[in-house]
Amino acid sequence: MLVAFSVAPLGAGESVSQAVADAVRIVRESGLPNRTDAMFTTLEGEWDEVMDVVRRATEAVGAHGHRVSLVLKADIRPGHTGELDAKVQRVEALLAD
């Protein structure tokens, strides 16, 4: 499964960079395939392991404020792995034609 999520503290001021860095650190230390861009972090793995990482990242962000905003989108496709890169590669191949 792929999970794209964005997590940020509320009431922590204008910049949330440190809180986001704490969340991304947890994602990267998980060992799961992942990618972070300006808006979301996407990771790939089995349901329980992915949701555990999201939970821990959310808890880390929670230490920066009294409330947390979490946006999550999942692509649940049993039997498929490597989709973090493969989905993008399929689109790029079509654009190259």
Side-chain angles (χ1 to χ4, degrees), residues 2 35 44 75 77 79-97:
L2 292 173
R35 180 176 298 127
E44 183 171 16
D75 181 357
R77 194 173 182 195
H80 289 78
T81 59
E83 291 297 296
L84 186 66
D85 293 319
K87 289 178 82 166
V88 175
Q89 290 169 352
R90 287 191 294 271
V91 172
E92 291 295 339
L94 292 169
L95 291 171
D97 289 344

Side-chain angles (χ1 to χ4, degrees), residues 4-8 20 24 35-42 69 71-72:
F5 74 104
S6 174
V7 60
V20 171
V24 171
R35 180 176 298 127
T36 298
D37 61 36
M39 296 293 292
F40 285 91
T41 294
T42 305
S69 171
V71 176
L72 185 141

Side-chain angles (χ1 to χ4, degrees), residues 1-3 32-33 43-51 75-76 80-82 84:
M1 88 183 288
L2 292 173
V3 170
L32 296 176
L43 63 156
E44 183 171 16
E46 297 299 319
W47 181 274
D48 289 340
E49 61 189 356
V50 168
M51 291 304 175
D75 181 357
I76 303 165
H80 289 78
T81 59
L84 186 66

Side-chain angles (χ1 to χ4, degrees), residues 22-74:
D22 290 348
V24 171
R25 184 174 295 109
I26 288 168
V27 170
R28 291 183 179 174
E29 289 174 354
S30 75
L32 296 176
N34 66 84
R35 180 176 298 127
T36 298
D37 61 36
M39 296 293 292
F40 285 91
T41 294
T42 305
L43 63 156
E44 183 171 16
E46 297 299 319
W47 181 274
D48 289 340
E49 61 189 356
V50 168
M51 291 304 175
D52 178 62
V53 173
V54 171
R55 178 188 53 79
R56 291 187 290 120
T58 302
E59 290 171 350
V61 167
H64 292 270
H66 63 278
R67 192 173 183 179
V68 176
S69 171
L70 172 65
V71 176
L72 185 141
K73 181 175 181 178

